[in-house]
Amino acid sequence: FFSCSMSLLEAARVCHADIERFQQEVMEELENDPVTQKQTVLHEHFINKRLEGAQKRAKELKETYESEDFKNIGSENPSRVVSSFYSRLAELREYHRRFQQSSVMETEQEGHLEVLTEDDLPVTFTAEECYGKYVDLHDIYTEYNNLPFNFDNPSADKDAIGVNALAAVAARHSGIDYPTFLQRLGQFHLIARKYKNEDYRKFLQHLYDYLEGFCRRTQPLSSVDVAMKETEMRFAEDWKNGTILGWEDMKETEETLTGKKARRRHFCGLVALLEAKIQRYLESLGDVIQSTLHNIEKKQTRNREEIEAELEREEEATRKALARKRGEGEEDAGSDDEDAPRIRDNPLDLPLGWDGKPIPYWLYKLHGLGIEYKCEICSNFSYYGPRSFERHFQEWRHAHGMKCLKIPNTRHFHHVTKIHDAMALWDKIRYESTQKGWKPELEQEFEDHEGHVFNKKTYDDMKRQGLL
């Protein structure tokens, strides 16, 4: 009984210690204000992980307190407790005598959660989502454009439709572009009832699954399940009263319908419920969708260099914000110490990826980006990595250098970076081309009446001497 009571008390003590530790970690994390979108997502997932751990420990603590063994602690004979104490003490001494290298903190460390870092997010995002800053609905958009109501264009040319089946489909198709799809998202009442079939329900289900997963990944602290239950309760009341937009004629009760009409009404109810849930998600993600539209417009009006420059400016602003947050003081934009935060954030001076962050070191080594190649023809410009070095021979800088040397930029001069080597190779090529040219006095053949073959020069000399 004594060992049982001590194990229960120790389990309760460990649960209390873990709950206090989780609360302390949450309080410390709440004092940190995230700067970037990635830090915001990490911040919320860190807090959510600690809250889940605290809830789990609290549940275990409640089960311990409600157990019969814990309630019976202290109700036994004191003399029996003392004897159990000494017997248990003898067992512990014997155990530690045999296992002297045992871990002392094993009980304390059991159940501790791993520490999340900025490079170890518990969720994944696509490159288009940018850590939850934008939505990525391209697959849903493709599925939307393949729904039947997009192939019923009444303004299609009848003569063009009669050519072949492919032309008929193309003429009837009236799909929309991706930005328009995002703007019309949620306007389900504009779709005719006859097109809301099983394919339409599958499209809604895929859209609902994506929006639900996106909210859980970007807002782990939000009560998604509670919001959905409230939506279902409100939908049931509106469906009964017939006040749902686009479904006003569904006011009749279930008892008045039988057979096929009842099954159709049940299917329409499932579709309308999905539409209501999706609209609820779209309301909470309105700012994200607007940011996505703005980002698409920026991409359409900018080239690659401008987009990369924008990412560098955002990264620089992030570094300065982090520096001010850490109390390092404001930096002068024109001072020589401007790159100091960059050195701390990127000590290996790795190239930046699509998100403005340094690429992984293994990727840096894989592509050989640490190898420097200098080209004298390009005014001693440096290229990093074999791929960049191979591509530069067809770029404008190397072509301009070859043009200044009056040398054609052909395949013969690839991997030639020295001016002296390029000039020597060009002289050699020109000499070989002259040697390989057609020389009629040496290569043109003539034959006399006896069948002897001479070249043109020998034939003319012998003919002038009268030997032929």
Side-chain angles (χ1 to χ4, degrees), residues 70-202:
F70 189 87
K71 294 179 181 179
N72 294 330
I73 294 178
S75 61
E76 296 294 330
N77 190 353
S79 60
R80 183 179 178 184
V81 172
V82 173
S83 61
S84 300
F85 169 77
Y86 284 108
S87 62
R88 179 60 177 165
L89 180 61
E91 293 177 1
L92 291 175
R93 287 177 176 176
E94 178 64 20
Y95 176 82
H96 287 289
R97 185 186 65 80
R98 296 175 58 186
F99 306 99
Q100 298 181 1
Q101 303 296 330
S102 61
S103 177
V104 179
M105 300 300 295
E106 182 178 357
T107 305
E108 291 287 341
Q109 295 176 355
E110 182 180 358
H112 283 198
L113 297 174
E114 68 279 2
V115 179
L116 297 178
T117 61
E118 191 170 356
D119 297 327
D120 188 24
L121 278 174
V123 293
T124 57
F125 295 94
T126 63
E128 188 73 20
E129 290 174 339
C130 193
Y131 297 104
K133 194 175 181 179
Y134 312 114
V135 293
D136 184 8
L137 294 172
H138 288 86
D139 295 338
I140 308 297
Y141 162 70
T142 304
E143 186 176 358
Y144 174 84
N145 268 344
N146 290 329
L147 290 176
F149 56 81
N150 289 310
F151 294 90
D152 191 9
N153 185 10
S155 61
D157 190 0
K158 302 297 183 179
D159 297 334
I161 292 179
V163 177
N164 52 49
L166 184 60
V169 173
R172 291 197 306 268
H173 188 264
S174 60
I176 58 178
D177 56 0
Y178 185 59
T180 307
F181 167 73
L182 293 179
Q183 293 174 357
R184 296 183 183 179
L185 202 59
Q187 300 178 2
F188 303 116
H189 62 280
L190 300 178
I191 301 175
R193 183 78 58 81
K194 62 180 181 179
Y195 297 119
K196 295 185 177 182
N197 50 16
E198 181 63 21
D199 294 335
Y200 178 75
R201 188 199 65 80
K202 292 180 180 179

Side-chain angles (χ1 to χ4, degrees), residues 167-374:
V169 173
R172 291 197 306 268
H173 188 264
S174 60
I176 58 178
D177 56 0
Y178 185 59
T180 307
F181 167 73
L182 293 179
Q183 293 174 357
R184 296 183 183 179
L185 202 59
Q187 300 178 2
F188 303 116
H189 62 280
L190 300 178
I191 301 175
R193 183 78 58 81
K194 62 180 181 179
Y195 297 119
K196 295 185 177 182
N197 50 16
E198 181 63 21
D199 294 335
Y200 178 75
R201 188 199 65 80
K202 292 180 180 179
F203 157 74
L204 292 179
Q205 186 64 46
H206 294 163
L207 178 58
Y208 170 78
D209 294 340
Y210 174 82
L211 295 177
E212 181 183 15
F214 186 84
C215 287
R216 293 186 184 277
R217 286 180 294 154
T218 57
Q219 304 172 11
L221 298 178
S222 61
S223 302
V224 176
D225 297 332
V226 175
M228 287 299 102
K229 288 182 180 179
E230 294 177 355
T231 304
E232 291 177 359
M233 294 175 59
R234 189 183 305 111
F235 170 80
E237 183 178 356
D238 295 341
W239 180 260
K240 184 178 180 180
N241 298 329
T243 58
I244 298 179
L245 186 62
W247 303 93
E248 292 84 359
D249 57 339
M250 292 292 175
K251 188 176 180 180
E252 51 270 275
T253 58
E254 296 287 348
E255 289 78 7
T256 60
L257 299 176
T258 57
K260 186 177 180 180
K261 291 184 177 181
R263 292 193 298 270
R264 177 61 182 173
R265 188 177 189 277
H266 177 70
F267 176 80
C268 292
L270 295 178
V271 173
L273 179 59
L274 281 175
E275 292 178 350
K277 290 182 177 181
I278 291 173
Q279 289 174 348
R280 180 63 181 272
Y281 279 126
L282 293 177
E283 291 176 1
S284 61
L285 297 175
D287 295 338
V288 179
I289 294 177
Q290 291 298 325
S291 300
T292 305
L293 287 170
H294 183 63
N295 183 52
I296 293 173
E297 293 176 358
K298 287 197 303 182
K299 285 185 176 181
Q300 291 176 347
T301 57
R302 296 181 180 181
N303 54 27
R304 179 179 178 182
E305 289 74 13
E306 292 175 341
I307 294 176
E308 292 178 353
E310 179 68 20
L311 291 175
E312 291 179 359
R313 286 194 295 269
E314 292 180 358
E315 178 67 16
E316 184 66 22
T318 301
R319 283 194 293 267
K320 291 182 178 180
L322 290 174
R324 289 194 299 268
K325 177 182 173 182
R326 295 169 184 171
E328 296 177 354
E330 297 184 357
E331 300 175 343
D332 187 10
S335 62
D336 296 334
D337 296 333
E338 184 178 1
D339 294 334
R342 181 180 301 176
I343 295 176
R344 285 189 292 271
D345 295 338
N346 190 8
L348 299 178
D349 196 19
L350 300 176
L352 301 181
W354 63 268
D355 56 350
K357 299 292 184 180
I359 64 174
Y361 185 72
W362 65 265
L363 188 62
Y364 174 82
K365 297 293 289 184
L366 178 64
H367 292 286
L369 299 179
I371 306 175
E372 181 183 7
Y373 300 89
K374 280 192 175 183

Side-chain angles (χ1 to χ4, degrees), residues 9 31 45 72 110 114 119 134 176 179 236 240 287 329 366 383 395 425 429 450 455 462:
L9 291 174
E31 294 178 356
H45 278 282
N72 294 330
E110 182 180 358
E114 68 279 2
D119 297 327
Y134 312 114
I176 58 178
K240 184 178 180 180
D287 295 338
L366 178 64
Y383 299 91
E395 295 176 350
L425 180 58
I429 292 175
E450 295 181 357
N455 56 34
M462 295 180 66

Side-chain angles (χ1 to χ4, degrees), residues 427-461:
D427 293 337
K428 180 181 179 181
I429 292 175
R430 285 190 297 180
Y431 175 77
E432 291 178 353
S433 62
T434 57
Q435 294 296 323
K436 292 180 180 179
W438 170 256
K439 298 179 180 179
E441 66 275 5
L442 298 178
E443 298 179 2
Q444 190 174 7
E445 296 179 346
F446 292 85
E447 184 177 356
D448 60 0
H449 63 282
E450 295 181 357
H452 300 290
V453 179
F454 308 94
N455 56 34
K456 186 176 184 299
K457 183 180 179 182
T458 305
Y459 181 83
D460 292 339
D461 293 340

